[in-house]
Amino acid sequence: MASGLLLGGAVAALITAAVPAHNSSPVFDNPPPDKIVIDVATVNGSGCPAGTAAVAVSEDNTAFTVTYSDYLAQVGGGSNPTAFRKNCQLNLVVHVPSGFTYAIAKADYRGYASLQSGASAVQRASYYFQGSSQTVFKNHNFSGSYNDNWQATDTTDWAQLVWAPCGVQRNFNINTELRVNAGSSSPSKVSFMTMDSTDGDLSTVYHMAWQQCPAK
């Protein structure tokens, strides 16, 4: 994965010290005009082995996408005993134009699941800034029998957004997890869940909200 990505306009995150409350709707389409730089500090986890995850910004600069190509959890049959859970942690350094702060207002996840009757699965994500005591966890549960594409969306109301601290550089962390439980299904049958799309890759999209920092 490239360690530095020049992003022409916007990128964001979901947690940390809040700025004064704002009553209007999130501004997805009005990011700062200056260039944004994202450095990918680390990528760790069984769901994102080296070379299988990438970060890109949308053309309109109102979202960024994390793409995976080897993110699959499974149980049953001849599955590895540790394969029931896969996870990935992205540690991003986001360089924001002076005078602006950002938050993640929505995150879209999608993939494919094949769950036997009696099996279950969960997709989980958490978001936090380095050094912050605040961590937001979002869980989405699935039950078998199930054999189809899946999509999950994490949303946060404007009043509940937690913004990046103004004037302080803090790395932003995104933790994701897939977990499959065999439950009462037959041990000989495989159940799995993957973050996947039609081209074989997962595209997880994070939608940003921006606002100006208060004047000093």
Side-chain angles (χ1 to χ4, degrees):
M1 175 183 293
S3 60
L5 299 177
L6 182 62
L7 307 182
V11 152
L14 177 70
I15 312 249
T16 208
V19 298
H22 197 296
N23 294 322
S24 64
S25 299
V27 181
F28 298 121
D29 58 353
N30 190 27
D34 296 339
K35 298 285 186 182
I36 303 297
V37 174
I38 298 180
D39 294 322
V40 181
T42 58
V43 181
N44 292 310
S46 55
C48 52
T52 66
V55 181
V57 71
S58 63
E59 291 186 3
D60 61 3
N61 299 320
T62 62
F64 69 93
T65 301
V66 181
T67 301
Y68 306 91
S69 60
D70 190 20
Y71 203 153
L72 180 147
Q74 68 178 48
V75 294
S79 301
N80 188 306
T82 63
F84 76 98
R85 177 185 178 272
K86 294 296 179 71
N87 76 294
C88 184
Q89 175 170 307
L90 295 173
N91 185 281
L92 305 177
V93 183
V94 183
H95 304 277
V96 181
S98 178
F100 284 88
T101 184
Y102 61 92
I104 286 291
K106 185 172 75 168
D108 296 320
Y109 298 89
R110 59 193 175 102
Y112 190 87
S114 178
L115 304 175
Q116 302 294 331
S117 178
S120 62
V122 62
Q123 182 270 327
R124 189 185 203 199
S126 64
Y127 317 85
Y128 65 95
F129 284 98
Q130 184 179 18
S132 172
S133 61
Q134 292 179 285
T135 302
V136 169
F137 294 94
K138 304 284 188 178
N139 292 323
H140 299 277
N141 298 300
F142 301 83
S143 298
S145 57
Y146 187 98
N147 190 32
D148 204 348
N149 296 313
W150 64 267
Q151 181 166 333
T153 299
D154 297 341
T155 57
T156 304
D157 293 336
W158 180 270
Q160 296 177 323
L161 290 175
V162 187
W163 299 84
C166 289
V168 179
Q169 181 63 61
R170 297 281 178 84
N171 288 13
F172 180 62
N173 293 276
I174 303 170
N175 292 324
T176 57
E177 177 181 326
L178 295 179
R179 187 186 294 260
V180 181
N181 185 349
S184 61
S185 65
S186 171
S188 64
K189 295 184 178 180
V190 174
S191 292
F192 69 87
M193 186 175 190
T194 181
M195 292 194 188
D196 187 71
S197 67
T198 54
D199 60 2
D201 292 338
L202 156 77
S203 294
T204 300
V205 181
Y206 298 87
H207 303 267
M208 296 90 69
W210 290 90
Q211 69 177 16
Q212 289 185 306
C213 291
K216 294 183 179 179

